Amino acid sequence: MLLFVSGCKPDTEIYQQVDYQKLGYILNDNPNLSTFNAAVGMTGIKNVLNGADSTVLLAPNDIFLVRQGLNASTIKEQQGLSINSFVENHVLDDYIDLESLPFFVKQKLYSKSGHTNYVSRWIKDDLVFFTVNGLRIEGQPIRGTNGIIYVLNGMLQQYEYSTVFEAIKSDFSMTLFTHAIQRAGLASLFKDLQNSTVFVPTNQAMAAIGLGSLEKVEQANISELKKLVLYHVYPDIMFVGDLSFTTNFSGSGLFTTMVTLFNGNRFMTSVEGKYGLREVKMYDGNNLQLKFYEGYYTGIYTNQLTLIDAAGQQSLVDYDRKDIVAKSGTIHQIHQVLKY
């Protein structure tokens, strides 16, 4: 829709053309993106969205943000949440139509903040899906005259790490595994890892196998420690949400998972769903089985990943500490040490 505005002065008539199909106007008129729109309005991105340059937005929907306690009013009051960074994380640095991407490939794209986004295009049940760092893009893209809005079912990570090793070191619940990496002489390897995934045991998990202190890690056999650490490295990028598209589902039943309702309430519950197994080869050459569940609880999609190691032990990937992105890969927290 184009609007012409005229103003009258002696011997002068001014016409201003307004294009309401530009992204700024589209975003402002979309009731499902009101929280993100409020954040955009606090930054200079608002002018970009009404300008001539083509832009791609990865906009979190209101349903997800409300579940995180955010709305158009409260987002302005969030402690530690930089509005400018939040918005720039969800704006791609270059214009690209995601429908031009190849299928089943993780394409590395960057946000205006410089953060890394691994974008994939999938086919499932004869339908096309897109994921960004494991988060699904919902519905059809919203196209404007100066760009595209893709609606995300989640919020992209606020802080990005340069390496997976930095991501592991930064978490105080992973200090013993960090020290095991260093004690095994693998710190340089971890700093140089590219396109890799690390399943990181918590300090409690390390304590359960007798490595409950820095001193205990220091006393451990270096050769055995090296084997232990490398069995937790998968030499490819893995997001839990992407397993929905790479798993051959073979069974159904109940699984226990964490659910967050639309009002923000969280609790553990049993969900009826389906599951499938997939085997992958880890960095040390040993195999690991992935048991992936997915289902719906009152219309809310949920999933769960359980690892089955070579000894047959099962370890659940943490509901909250998963899909943590670094420029060189991802990490997921687990609550048992994998055994080979």
Side-chain angles (χ1 to χ4, degrees):
M1 176 180 178
L2 299 179
L3 176 66
F4 292 89
V5 180
S6 64
C8 295
K9 294 183 179 179
D11 302 321
T12 304
E13 193 163 303
I14 301 172
Y15 291 91
Q16 181 180 3
Q17 186 175 357
V18 180
D19 182 356
Y20 286 106
Q21 291 305 305
K22 288 192 173 181
L23 296 189
Y25 293 108
I26 293 174
L27 185 64
N28 191 62
D29 291 339
N30 192 312
N32 297 317
L33 302 175
S34 63
T35 305
F36 185 66
N37 181 55
V40 168
M42 300 169 64
T43 72
I45 297 295
K46 187 72 172 181
N47 295 328
V48 174
L49 300 185
N50 288 328
D53 293 339
S54 295
T55 303
V56 177
L57 293 182
L58 305 172
N61 66 25
D62 277 358
I63 291 175
F64 172 82
L65 292 176
V66 167
R67 288 164 64 189
Q68 305 303 307
L70 299 173
N71 58 43
S73 299
T74 61
I75 196 167
K76 303 173 185 179
E77 305 165 358
Q78 291 302 302
Q79 295 295 322
L81 178 62
S82 167
I83 297 299
N84 196 67
S85 174
F86 166 67
V87 171
E88 288 194 346
N89 285 351
H90 293 83
V91 181
L92 291 187
D93 193 41
D94 292 312
Y95 178 82
I96 183 170
D97 189 332
L98 300 189
E99 292 186 356
S100 67
L101 297 179
F103 285 102
F104 308 111
V105 174
K106 287 182 175 62
Q107 190 79 28
K108 188 180 286 190
L109 304 176
Y110 296 95
S111 299
K112 282 196 175 296
S113 61
H115 285 198
T116 305
N117 300 297
Y118 297 94
V119 183
S120 299
R121 186 184 183 198
W122 310 98
I123 295 179
K124 182 179 181 180
D125 299 329
D126 297 324
L127 298 175
V128 176
F129 294 87
F130 297 91
T131 57
V132 183
N133 294 351
L135 300 175
R136 288 193 187 189
I137 288 175
E138 298 185 329
Q140 296 298 312
I142 304 170
R143 298 181 182 276
T145 54
N146 66 337
I148 310 173
I149 300 174
Y150 295 97
V151 181
L152 282 179
N153 72 342
M155 184 172 67
L156 295 173
Q157 183 178 305
Q158 283 297 103
Y159 181 80
E160 183 180 68
Y161 304 93
S162 59
T163 66
V164 291
F165 187 57
E166 183 193 0
I168 297 167
K169 282 177 59 179
S170 71
D171 194 319
F172 290 119
S173 69
M174 303 176 183
T175 53
L176 294 177
F177 191 75
T178 300
H179 195 60
I181 293 171
Q182 296 168 325
R183 171 65 175 157
L186 296 173
S188 294
L189 172 67
F190 269 69
K191 290 175 184 177
D192 293 338
L193 282 175
Q194 294 296 319
N195 300 325
S196 298
T197 298
V198 185
F199 297 102
V200 186
T202 62
N203 291 338
Q204 290 81 359
M206 295 289 284
I209 63 165
L211 299 175
S213 66
L214 298 181
E215 291 76 14
K216 292 289 186 182
V217 175
E218 280 291 323
Q219 294 166 6
N221 180 279
I222 293 179
S223 177
E224 291 301 314
L225 206 56
K226 184 175 182 178
K227 291 177 184 178
L228 181 150
V229 169
L230 293 180
Y231 188 43
H232 290 76
V233 181
Y234 173 58
D236 198 358
I237 294 173
M238 182 190 300
F239 292 100
V240 173
D242 287 354
L243 294 174
S244 177
F245 308 102
T246 60
T247 299
N248 291 321
F249 292 95
S250 56
S252 62
L254 291 173
F255 65 98
T256 302
T257 187
M258 179 71 72
V259 170
T260 304
L261 297 181
F262 295 120
N263 61 7
N265 290 339
R266 304 186 78 213
F267 53 88
M268 297 290 294
T269 188
S270 294
V271 176
E272 181 71 32
K274 56 185 179 180
Y275 66 85
L277 288 169
R278 177 186 167 198
E279 191 168 78
V280 297
K281 190 174 292 293
M282 304 301 280
Y283 194 95
D284 69 336
N286 284 304
N287 292 329
L288 179 72
Q289 281 195 316
L290 313 176
K291 190 172 187 179
F292 178 76
Y293 294 85
E294 68 176 11
Y296 289 86
Y297 180 85
T298 63
I300 299 172
Y301 174 79
T302 186
N303 58 40
Q304 175 187 291
L305 176 59
T306 299
L307 310 178
I308 305 174
D309 62 28
Q313 172 188 262
Q314 297 191 22
S315 181
L316 189 68
V317 171
D318 191 88
Y319 302 108
D320 297 316
R321 303 292 293 160
K322 63 182 179 181
D323 295 338
I324 300 170
V325 181
K327 290 188 181 298
S328 61
T330 56
I331 70 170
H332 310 275
Q333 189 176 81
I334 57 177
H335 296 278
Q336 292 191 62
V337 174
L338 301 177
K339 297 179 180 179
Y340 49 89

